[in-house]
Amino acid sequence: MKKLFLPLSKDIIKELKAGDKVELWGSLYTLRDRAHQKLTEAIKKRKKMPFSLVNKAIYYTGPTPALPGRAIGSCGPTTSSRMDVFTPLLLKKGVKALIGKGNRSLAVIDALKKYQGVYFVTIGGAGAFLARKVHKAGIVAYPELGPEAVYQLQVRGFPAIVAIDSCGRSIFKYNHRKLTPRRCK
């Protein structure tokens, strides 16, 4: 299992291959549907961003309130494909890593290749276990969204698998178009 420190460097992203098992250490930013919508609207209207997107890792989760003695409550991944309409723009603006569960659209795969990003999947149905990997949590944007607010999470040993790498290689099977990964070493 590879131990990766966030933010990920370009060299590390290039080395990752679909199917690699990793542990993530560092900062993740939670983002769900409503926060994605607010961020993309702000980008399109050229408003000041509530936090920088450059080199960030985005985790698709809506955490529950923290239990006593814990940084956060359950924080399992949500279905990533719901965010596909927003993802290419966020990658264009500098996001480098995405974490969730499930397959992604061809538009997202193309954007991962173009902007040199990576998509990780983590364990669905294991939100309480994943919460134990979060050592600090705080809201950084849109507190009015409740559990869909943007949180910054400090994680240690957060388990994930590279689902789609920066070459477009994927652990998922596609039937609707033959994918041609960019040339990779």
Side-chain angles (χ1 to χ4, degrees):
M1 187 170 286
K2 295 180 182 182
K3 190 173 188 178
L4 301 179
F5 295 92
L6 302 168
L8 299 174
S9 70
K10 289 180 184 180
D11 290 338
I12 295 295
I13 290 171
K14 286 180 182 178
E15 289 176 14
L16 295 172
K17 306 280 185 272
D20 286 349
K21 295 174 184 161
V22 303
E23 285 184 346
L24 301 174
W25 297 71
S27 289
L28 304 176
Y29 290 78
T30 68
L31 230 60
R32 283 195 47 144
D33 311 62
R34 292 175 61 206
H36 269 86
Q37 185 175 15
K38 287 180 79 98
L39 273 178
T40 56
E41 286 172 4
I43 291 167
K44 289 175 183 177
K45 292 179 181 178
R46 296 191 166 126
K47 291 184 176 181
K48 186 177 188 300
M49 299 301 294
F51 64 98
S52 172
L53 296 174
V54 177
N55 296 324
K56 296 300 188 277
I58 302 299
Y59 179 33
Y60 305 130
T61 188
T64 63
L67 297 171
R70 301 273 182 170
I72 200 163
S74 181
C75 62
T78 193
T79 303
S80 303
S81 62
R82 291 198 327 267
M83 275 48 88
D84 283 0
V85 69
F86 307 111
T87 302
L89 178 59
L90 297 183
L91 289 165
K92 181 179 180 180
K93 291 298 181 180
V95 169
K96 290 297 178 192
L98 310 163
I99 306 151
K101 68 177 183 181
N103 206 343
R104 302 309 298 264
S105 70
L106 294 174
V108 170
I109 294 168
D110 289 342
L112 287 166
K113 292 181 343 188
K114 182 175 183 177
Y115 301 113
Q116 292 299 279
V118 62
Y119 171 56
F120 299 99
V121 291
T122 193
I123 310 158
F129 168 74
L130 293 171
R132 293 182 192 160
K133 303 299 182 179
V134 178
H135 294 272
K136 186 177 178 184
I139 294 176
V140 295
Y142 313 130
E144 69 276 10
L145 297 181
E148 288 201 36
V150 178
Y151 288 77
Q152 181 179 13
L153 308 180
Q154 293 295 324
V155 298
R156 296 182 193 155
F158 192 91
I161 298 169
V162 177
I164 304 170
D165 64 28
S166 63
C167 294
R169 295 176 295 229
S170 174
I171 64 171
F172 302 106
K173 291 185 179 183
Y174 295 90
N175 296 322
H176 39 282
R177 179 176 82 159
K178 181 175 172 65
L179 295 176
T180 308
R182 71 167 176 78
R183 184 173 283 194
C184 289
K185 292 183 178 182

